[in-house]
Amino acid sequence: MDKNVVLAEIETYIYNLFHLDATGHDYYHMKRVAKMAKYLAEQENGDPFLCEVSGWVHDVGDDKLTDDPEQAIVELKHFLTSISLSDILVDSIMETITTVSFRKGQDPKTLAGKIVQDADRLDAIGAIGIARTFAYGGNKNRSIHSEEAHQKQHATIQHFDDKLLLIKDKIKTDAAKEIAVKRHAYMEQFLSTFYNEWNSNL
């Protein structure tokens, strides 16, 4: 198995699935998560290839992104097998990506699962995370912010309190924690500036 050829085929597969996405879960998100997962694996003595592949495919089957998650997973497994990945490796990839989701409160048991989950969560915070948050909110027709109580909980800015500011303390690996601290601080700075400008504080 030529790993570079396999990775190129997987990248093309993911590009075809996600390059038109406008929610922040696009091809470039998958690419960043894959590269970050490889980096974290190298720092944490994990399996860089398993983590990179899992990073590329981690959102395939996400019910936010497809109308038929089960069919998407079936097609993914068929594709991975068709490019000569062993059944053992395919099973490891599937196990890894089923424990990534923040929304479902998954707690990975394997090192690869922890690494890919951390890589995905790192892409949800910092400058990229901020951009992705507003892209997703706009795609879902959510307001940026609201001062009305009944609308405030549905505004995009609320997502920072509900999820993004919690991520730093949920990171599993030491290498990812160092990155998370910096990205968390950037978000706090952004929010401080955002609310100052919202309230017209000069």
Coordinates of all heavy atoms in Angstrom, one line a residue, residues 35-110:
K35 N -4.6 17.3 8.8 CA -3.2 17.7 9.0 C -2.9 17.9 10.5 O -1.8 17.5 11.0 CB -2.9 19.0 8.2 CG -3.1 18.8 6.7 CD -2.2 17.7 6.1 CE -2.4 17.6 4.6 NZ -1.8 16.4 4.1
M36 N -3.9 18.4 11.2 CA -3.7 18.6 12.6 C -3.7 17.2 13.3 O -2.9 17.0 14.3 CB -4.8 19.4 13.2 CG -4.7 19.7 14.7 SD -3.2 20.5 15.3 CE -3.7 22.2 14.8
A37 N -4.5 16.3 12.9 CA -4.5 15.0 13.5 C -3.2 14.3 13.3 O -2.7 13.6 14.2 CB -5.7 14.1 12.9
K38 N -2.6 14.4 12.1 CA -1.3 13.8 11.8 C -0.2 14.5 12.8 O 0.6 13.7 13.4 CB -0.9 14.1 10.4 CG 0.5 13.5 10.0 CD 0.8 13.8 8.6 CE 2.2 13.3 8.3 NZ 2.6 13.7 6.9
Y39 N -0.3 15.8 12.9 CA 0.7 16.5 13.8 C 0.5 16.0 15.2 O 1.5 15.7 15.9 CB 0.5 18.0 13.7 CG 1.2 18.7 14.8 CD1 2.6 19.0 14.6 CD2 0.6 19.2 15.9 CE1 3.3 19.7 15.6 CE2 1.2 19.9 16.9 CZ 2.6 20.1 16.7 OH 3.3 20.8 17.7
L40 N -0.7 15.9 15.7 CA -0.9 15.5 17.1 C -0.5 14.1 17.3 O 0.1 13.7 18.4 CB -2.4 15.7 17.5 CG -2.9 17.1 17.5 CD1 -4.4 17.1 17.8 CD2 -2.2 18.0 18.5
A41 N -0.7 13.2 16.3 CA -0.3 11.8 16.4 C 1.2 11.7 16.5 O 1.8 10.9 17.3 CB -0.8 11.0 15.2
E42 N 1.9 12.6 15.8 CA 3.4 12.6 15.8 C 3.9 13.0 17.2 O 4.9 12.5 17.7 CB 3.9 13.4 14.7 CG 3.7 12.9 13.3 CD 4.0 13.9 12.2 OE1 4.1 15.1 12.5 OE2 4.1 13.4 11.1
Q43 N 3.2 14.0 17.8 CA 3.6 14.5 19.1 C 3.2 13.5 20.3 O 3.9 13.5 21.3 CB 2.9 15.8 19.4 CG 3.2 16.9 18.4 CD 4.7 17.1 18.1 OE1 5.4 17.4 19.0 NE2 5.1 17.0 16.8
E44 N 2.1 12.7 20.1 CA 1.6 11.9 21.1 C 1.9 10.4 20.9 O 1.3 9.6 21.6 CB 0.1 12.1 21.2 CG -0.4 13.5 21.5 CD -0.1 13.9 22.9 OE1 0.0 13.0 23.8 OE2 -0.1 15.1 23.2
N45 N 2.8 10.1 20.0 CA 3.2 8.7 19.8 C 2.0 7.9 19.3 O 1.9 6.7 19.7 CB 3.9 8.1 21.0 CG 5.2 8.7 21.4 OD1 6.0 9.0 20.5 ND2 5.4 9.0 22.6
G46 N 1.1 8.5 18.5 CA 0.0 7.8 17.9 C 0.4 7.3 16.5 O 1.5 7.3 16.1
D47 N -0.6 6.8 15.8 CA -0.4 6.3 14.5 C -0.8 7.5 13.5 O -2.0 7.8 13.3 CB -1.4 5.1 14.2 CG -1.2 4.5 12.8 OD1 -0.8 5.2 11.9 OD2 -1.5 3.3 12.7
P48 N 0.2 8.2 12.9 CA -0.1 9.3 12.1 C -0.9 9.0 10.9 O -1.8 9.8 10.5 CB 1.3 9.8 11.6 CG 2.3 9.3 12.7 CD 1.7 8.0 13.1
F49 N -0.8 7.9 10.3 CA -1.5 7.5 9.1 C -3.0 7.3 9.4 O -3.9 7.8 8.8 CB -1.0 6.3 8.4 CG -1.7 5.9 7.1 CD1 -1.6 6.7 6.0 CD2 -2.5 4.7 7.1 CE1 -2.3 6.4 4.8 CE2 -3.2 4.4 5.9 CZ -3.1 5.2 4.8
L50 N -3.2 6.5 10.5 CA -4.6 6.3 10.9 C -5.3 7.6 11.3 O -6.5 7.8 10.9 CB -4.6 5.3 12.1 CG -5.9 5.2 12.9 CD1 -7.0 4.6 12.0 CD2 -5.8 4.3 14.1
C51 N -4.6 8.4 12.0 CA -5.2 9.7 12.5 C -5.4 10.6 11.3 O -6.5 11.3 11.3 CB -4.3 10.3 13.5 SG -4.2 9.4 15.1
E52 N -4.5 10.7 10.3 CA -4.7 11.6 9.2 C -5.9 11.1 8.3 O -6.7 11.9 8.0 CB -3.4 11.6 8.3 CG -3.5 12.6 7.2 CD -2.2 12.8 6.4 OE1 -1.2 12.1 6.8 OE2 -2.2 13.6 5.5
V53 N -6.0 9.8 8.1 CA -7.1 9.3 7.3 C -8.4 9.6 8.0 O -9.4 10.0 7.4 CB -6.9 7.8 7.0 CG1 -8.2 7.2 6.4 CG2 -5.7 7.6 6.1
S54 N -8.4 9.3 9.3 CA -9.6 9.5 10.1 C -10.0 11.0 10.1 O -11.2 11.3 10.1 CB -9.4 9.0 11.5 OG -9.2 7.6 11.5
G55 N -9.0 11.8 10.2 CA -9.3 13.3 10.1 C -10.0 13.7 8.8 O -10.9 14.5 8.8
W56 N -9.5 13.1 7.7 CA -10.1 13.4 6.4 C -11.6 13.0 6.4 O -12.4 13.8 5.8 CB -9.3 12.7 5.3 CG -8.2 13.4 4.7 CD1 -6.9 13.0 4.8 CD2 -8.2 14.6 3.9 NE1 -6.1 13.9 4.1 CE2 -6.9 14.9 3.6 CE3 -9.2 15.5 3.5 CZ2 -6.5 16.0 2.8 CZ3 -8.9 16.6 2.8 CH2 -7.5 16.9 2.4
V57 N -11.9 11.9 6.9 CA -13.3 11.3 6.7 C -14.2 11.5 8.0 O -15.3 11.0 8.0 CB -13.2 9.8 6.4 CG1 -12.3 9.6 5.1 CG2 -12.6 9.0 7.5
H58 N -13.7 12.3 9.0 CA -14.4 12.3 10.2 C -15.9 12.8 10.2 O -16.7 12.5 11.0 CB -13.7 13.1 11.3 CG -13.8 14.6 11.1 ND1 -13.0 15.3 10.2 CD2 -14.5 15.5 11.8 CE1 -13.3 16.6 10.3 NE2 -14.3 16.7 11.2
D59 N -16.2 13.6 9.2 CA -17.5 14.2 9.1 C -18.5 13.4 8.1 O -19.6 13.8 7.9 CB -17.5 15.7 8.7 CG -17.4 16.6 9.9 OD1 -17.8 16.1 11.0 OD2 -17.0 17.7 9.8
V60 N -17.9 12.4 7.5 CA -18.8 11.6 6.6 C -19.8 10.9 7.5 O -19.4 10.2 8.4 CB -17.9 10.6 5.8 CG1 -18.9 9.7 4.9 CG2 -16.9 11.3 4.9
G61 N -21.0 11.0 7.2 CA -22.1 10.4 8.0 C -22.6 11.3 9.1 O -23.5 10.9 9.8
D62 N -22.1 12.6 9.2 CA -22.6 13.5 10.2 C -24.1 13.9 9.7 O -24.3 14.3 8.6 CB -21.7 14.7 10.2 CG -22.1 15.7 11.4 OD1 -23.3 15.9 11.6 OD2 -21.2 16.2 12.0
D63 N -25.0 13.7 10.7 CA -26.4 14.0 10.3 C -26.7 15.5 10.0 O -27.8 15.8 9.5 CB -27.4 13.4 11.3 CG -27.1 14.0 12.7 OD1 -26.4 15.0 12.9 OD2 -27.7 13.4 13.7
K64 N -25.8 16.4 10.3 CA -25.9 17.8 10.0 C -25.6 18.0 8.5 O -26.0 19.0 7.9 CB -25.0 18.7 10.8 CG -25.2 18.7 12.3 CD -24.4 19.8 13.0 CE -22.9 19.8 12.6 NZ -22.2 18.6 13.1
L65 N -24.9 17.1 7.9 CA -24.4 17.3 6.6 C -24.9 16.4 5.5 O -24.6 16.6 4.3 CB -22.8 17.1 6.6 CG -22.1 18.0 7.7 CD1 -20.6 17.7 7.7 CD2 -22.3 19.5 7.5
T66 N -25.7 15.4 5.9 CA -26.3 14.4 4.9 C -27.7 14.0 5.3 O -28.0 14.0 6.5 CB -25.4 13.2 4.8 OG1 -25.9 12.3 3.9 CG2 -25.2 12.5 6.1
D67 N -28.5 13.7 4.4 CA -29.8 13.3 4.6 C -29.9 11.8 5.0 O -30.9 11.4 5.6 CB -30.7 13.6 3.4 CG -30.9 15.0 3.1 OD1 -30.9 15.8 4.0 OD2 -31.1 15.4 1.9
D68 N -28.9 11.1 4.7 CA -28.9 9.6 5.0 C -27.5 9.2 5.5 O -26.7 8.7 4.8 CB -29.2 8.9 3.7 CG -29.5 7.4 3.9 OD1 -29.2 6.9 5.0 OD2 -30.1 6.7 3.0
P69 N -27.3 9.5 6.8 CA -26.0 9.2 7.5 C -25.6 7.7 7.3 O -24.4 7.4 7.1 CB -26.2 9.6 8.9 CG -27.3 10.6 8.9 CD -28.2 10.1 7.8
E70 N -26.5 6.8 7.5 CA -26.2 5.4 7.4 C -25.7 5.0 6.0 O -24.7 4.3 5.9 CB -27.4 4.5 7.8 CG -27.8 4.7 9.3 CD -28.9 3.7 9.7 OE1 -29.3 2.9 8.8 OE2 -29.4 3.8 10.8
Q71 N -26.3 5.5 5.0 CA -25.9 5.2 3.7 C -24.5 5.8 3.4 O -23.7 5.2 2.7 CB -26.9 5.7 2.6 CG -26.5 5.4 1.2 CD -26.4 3.9 0.9 OE1 -27.1 3.1 1.5 NE2 -25.6 3.6 0.0
A72 N -24.3 7.0 3.9 CA -23.0 7.7 3.7 C -21.9 6.9 4.3 O -20.8 6.7 3.8 CB -23.0 9.1 4.4
I73 N -22.1 6.2 5.5 CA -21.1 5.4 6.1 C -20.9 4.1 5.3 O -19.7 3.7 5.2 CB -21.5 5.1 7.6 CG1 -21.5 6.3 8.5 CG2 -20.7 4.0 8.2 CD1 -20.1 6.9 8.6
V74 N -21.9 3.5 4.8 CA -21.8 2.3 4.0 C -20.9 2.6 2.8 O -20.0 1.9 2.4 CB -23.2 1.8 3.6 CG1 -23.1 0.8 2.5 CG2 -24.0 1.3 4.7
E75 N -21.2 3.8 2.1 CA -20.4 4.2 1.0 C -19.0 4.4 1.3 O -18.1 4.1 0.5 CB -21.1 5.4 0.3 CG -22.5 5.0 -0.3 CD -23.2 6.3 -0.9 OE1 -22.6 7.4 -0.8 OE2 -24.3 6.1 -1.4
L76 N -18.8 5.1 2.5 CA -17.4 5.3 2.9 C -16.6 4.0 3.1 O -15.5 3.9 2.6 CB -17.4 6.1 4.2 CG -16.0 6.4 4.8 CD1 -15.1 7.1 3.9 CD2 -16.2 7.1 6.2
K77 N -17.2 3.1 3.8 CA -16.5 1.8 4.0 C -16.2 1.1 2.7 O -15.1 0.5 2.5 CB -17.4 0.9 4.9 CG -17.5 1.4 6.4 CD -18.4 0.6 7.2 CE -17.8 -0.8 7.5 NZ -18.6 -1.5 8.5
H78 N -17.2 1.1 1.8 CA -16.9 0.5 0.5 C -15.8 1.2 -0.2 O -14.9 0.5 -0.8 CB -18.2 0.6 -0.4 CG -18.0 0.1 -1.8 ND1 -18.0 -1.3 -2.1 CD2 -17.9 0.7 -3.0 CE1 -17.8 -1.4 -3.3 NE2 -17.7 -0.2 -3.9
F79 N -15.7 2.5 -0.2 CA -14.7 3.3 -0.8 C -13.3 2.9 -0.2 O -12.3 2.7 -0.9 CB -14.9 4.8 -0.7 CG -13.7 5.6 -1.0 CD1 -13.2 5.7 -2.3 CD2 -13.0 6.3 0.0 CE1 -12.1 6.5 -2.6 CE2 -11.9 7.0 -0.3 CZ -11.4 7.1 -1.6
L80 N -13.2 2.9 1.1 CA -12.0 2.6 1.8 C -11.5 1.2 1.5 O -10.3 1.0 1.3 CB -12.1 2.8 3.3 CG -12.4 4.2 3.8 CD1 -12.7 4.2 5.3 CD2 -11.2 5.2 3.5
T81 N -12.4 0.3 1.4 CA -12.0 -1.0 1.0 C -11.5 -1.1 -0.5 O -10.6 -1.8 -0.8 CB -13.2 -2.0 1.2 OG1 -13.6 -2.0 2.6 CG2 -12.8 -3.4 0.8
S82 N -12.1 -0.3 -1.3 CA -11.8 -0.3 -2.7 C -10.4 0.3 -3.0 O -9.9 0.0 -4.1 CB -12.9 0.5 -3.5 OG -12.7 1.9 -3.4
I83 N -9.9 1.0 -2.1 CA -8.5 1.6 -2.3 C -7.5 0.8 -1.5 O -6.4 1.3 -1.2 CB -8.4 3.1 -1.9 CG1 -8.9 3.3 -0.5 CG2 -9.3 3.9 -2.9 CD1 -8.6 4.8 0.0
S84 N -7.8 -0.5 -1.3 CA -6.9 -1.5 -0.7 C -6.5 -1.3 0.7 O -5.5 -1.7 1.2 CB -5.6 -1.5 -1.6 OG -5.9 -1.8 -2.9
L85 N -7.4 -0.6 1.5 CA -7.1 -0.6 3.0 C -7.7 -1.9 3.6 O -8.7 -2.4 3.2 CB -7.9 0.6 3.6 CG -7.4 2.0 3.2 CD1 -8.1 3.0 4.0 CD2 -5.9 2.1 3.3
S86 N -6.9 -2.4 4.5 CA -7.3 -3.7 5.1 C -8.6 -3.6 5.9 O -8.9 -2.4 6.4 CB -6.2 -4.2 6.0 OG -6.1 -3.4 7.2
D87 N -9.3 -4.7 6.1 CA -10.5 -4.6 7.0 C -10.2 -4.1 8.4 O -11.0 -3.4 9.0 CB -11.1 -6.0 7.0 CG -11.7 -6.5 5.7 OD1 -11.9 -5.6 4.8 OD2 -11.9 -7.7 5.5
I88 N -9.0 -4.5 8.9 CA -8.6 -4.1 10.3 C -8.5 -2.6 10.3 O -9.0 -1.9 11.2 CB -7.3 -4.8 10.7 CG1 -7.6 -6.3 10.9 CG2 -6.8 -4.2 12.0 CD1 -6.3 -7.1 11.2
L89 N -7.8 -2.0 9.3 CA -7.6 -0.6 9.3 C -8.9 0.2 9.1 O -9.2 1.2 9.7 CB -6.6 -0.2 8.2 CG -6.3 1.3 8.0 CD1 -5.8 1.9 9.3 CD2 -5.2 1.5 6.9
V90 N -9.8 -0.4 8.2 CA -11.1 0.3 8.0 C -11.9 0.3 9.3 O -12.5 1.3 9.6 CB -11.8 -0.4 6.8 CG1 -13.3 0.1 6.8 CG2 -11.1 -0.2 5.5
D91 N -11.9 -0.8 10.0 CA -12.6 -0.9 11.3 C -12.0 0.1 12.3 O -12.8 0.7 13.0 CB -12.5 -2.3 11.8 CG -13.3 -3.3 11.1 OD1 -14.2 -2.9 10.3 OD2 -13.1 -4.6 11.3
S92 N -10.7 0.3 12.3 CA -10.1 1.2 13.2 C -10.5 2.7 12.8 O -10.8 3.5 13.7 CB -8.6 1.1 13.1 OG -8.1 -0.1 13.6
I93 N -10.6 3.0 11.5 CA -11.0 4.3 11.1 C -12.4 4.5 11.5 O -12.8 5.6 12.0 CB -10.9 4.4 9.5 CG1 -9.4 4.4 9.1 CG2 -11.5 5.7 9.0 CD1 -9.2 4.1 7.7
M94 N -13.3 3.5 11.3 CA -14.7 3.7 11.6 C -14.9 3.9 13.1 O -15.7 4.7 13.6 CB -15.5 2.5 11.1 CG -15.4 2.3 9.6 SD -15.6 3.7 8.6 CE -17.3 4.2 9.0
E95 N -14.1 3.1 13.9 CA -14.2 3.3 15.4 C -13.8 4.7 15.8 O -14.3 5.3 16.7 CB -13.3 2.2 16.1 CG -13.3 2.4 17.6 CD -12.4 1.4 18.3 OE1 -11.7 0.6 17.6 OE2 -12.4 1.3 19.5
T96 N -12.7 5.2 15.1 CA -12.2 6.5 15.5 C -13.2 7.6 15.2 O -13.4 8.5 16.0 CB -10.9 6.7 14.7 OG1 -9.9 5.7 15.0 CG2 -10.3 8.1 15.0
I97 N -13.8 7.6 14.0 CA -14.7 8.7 13.6 C -16.0 8.7 14.3 O -16.7 9.7 14.4 CB -14.8 8.8 12.1 CG1 -15.7 7.6 11.6 CG2 -13.5 8.9 11.4 CD1 -16.0 7.7 10.1
T98 N -16.4 7.5 14.9 CA -17.7 7.5 15.6 C -17.7 8.2 17.0 O -18.7 8.4 17.6 CB -18.2 6.1 15.8 OG1 -17.2 5.3 16.5 CG2 -18.5 5.4 14.5
T99 N -16.5 8.6 17.4 CA -16.4 9.2 18.8 C -15.9 10.6 18.7 O -15.5 11.1 19.7 CB -15.4 8.3 19.7 OG1 -14.1 8.3 19.0 CG2 -15.9 6.9 19.9
V100 N -16.0 11.2 17.6 CA -15.5 12.6 17.4 C -16.5 13.7 17.9 O -16.1 14.7 18.5 CB -15.1 12.9 15.9 CG1 -14.9 14.4 15.7 CG2 -13.9 12.0 15.6
S101 N -17.8 13.5 17.7 CA -18.8 14.5 17.9 C -18.8 15.2 19.3 O -18.9 14.5 20.3 CB -20.2 13.9 17.6 OG -21.2 14.9 17.8
F102 N -18.8 16.5 19.3 CA -19.0 17.3 20.5 C -20.5 17.2 20.9 O -20.8 17.0 22.1 CB -18.6 18.7 20.3 CG -18.7 19.6 21.5 CD1 -17.6 19.9 22.3 CD2 -19.9 20.2 21.9 CE1 -17.7 20.7 23.4 CE2 -20.1 21.0 23.0 CZ -19.0 21.2 23.8
R103 N -21.3 17.4 20.0 CA -22.8 17.5 20.2 C -23.3 16.2 20.9 O -24.2 16.2 21.7 CB -23.5 17.7 18.9 CG -25.0 17.9 19.0 CD -25.5 18.5 17.7 NE -25.0 17.8 16.5 CZ -25.6 16.8 15.9 NH1 -26.7 16.3 16.3 NH2 -25.0 16.3 14.8
K104 N -22.7 15.0 20.5 CA -23.2 13.8 21.1 C -22.4 13.4 22.4 O -22.7 12.3 22.9 CB -23.0 12.7 20.0 CG -23.9 12.9 18.8 CD -23.7 11.8 17.7 CE -24.5 12.1 16.5 NZ -24.2 11.1 15.4
G105 N -21.5 14.2 22.8 CA -20.8 14.0 24.1 C -20.0 12.7 24.1 O -19.9 12.1 25.1
Q106 N -19.4 12.4 23.0 CA -18.6 11.2 22.9 C -17.3 11.3 23.7 O -16.7 12.3 23.7 CB -18.3 10.8 21.4 CG -19.5 10.6 20.5 CD -20.2 9.3 20.8 OE1 -19.7 8.5 21.6 NE2 -21.3 9.1 20.1
D107 N -16.9 10.2 24.2 CA -15.6 10.1 25.0 C -14.8 9.0 24.4 O -14.9 7.8 24.8 CB -15.9 9.9 26.5 CG -14.6 10.0 27.3 OD1 -13.6 10.5 26.8 OD2 -14.6 9.4 28.4
P108 N -13.9 9.3 23.5 CA -13.1 8.3 22.8 C -12.3 7.4 23.8 O -11.7 8.0 24.8 CB -12.1 9.1 21.9 CG -12.8 10.4 21.7 CD -13.5 10.7 23.0
K109 N -12.2 6.2 23.5 CA -11.4 5.2 24.3 C -10.0 5.0 23.8 O -9.1 4.5 24.5 CB -12.2 3.9 24.5 CG -13.6 4.1 25.0 CD -13.6 4.8 26.3 CE -15.1 4.9 26.9 NZ -15.2 5.7 28.1
T110 N -9.8 5.2 22.5 CA -8.5 5.0 21.9 C -7.8 6.3 21.7 O -8.3 7.4 21.7 CB -8.7 4.4 20.5 OG1 -9.3 5.3 19.6 CG2 -9.6 3.1 20.5

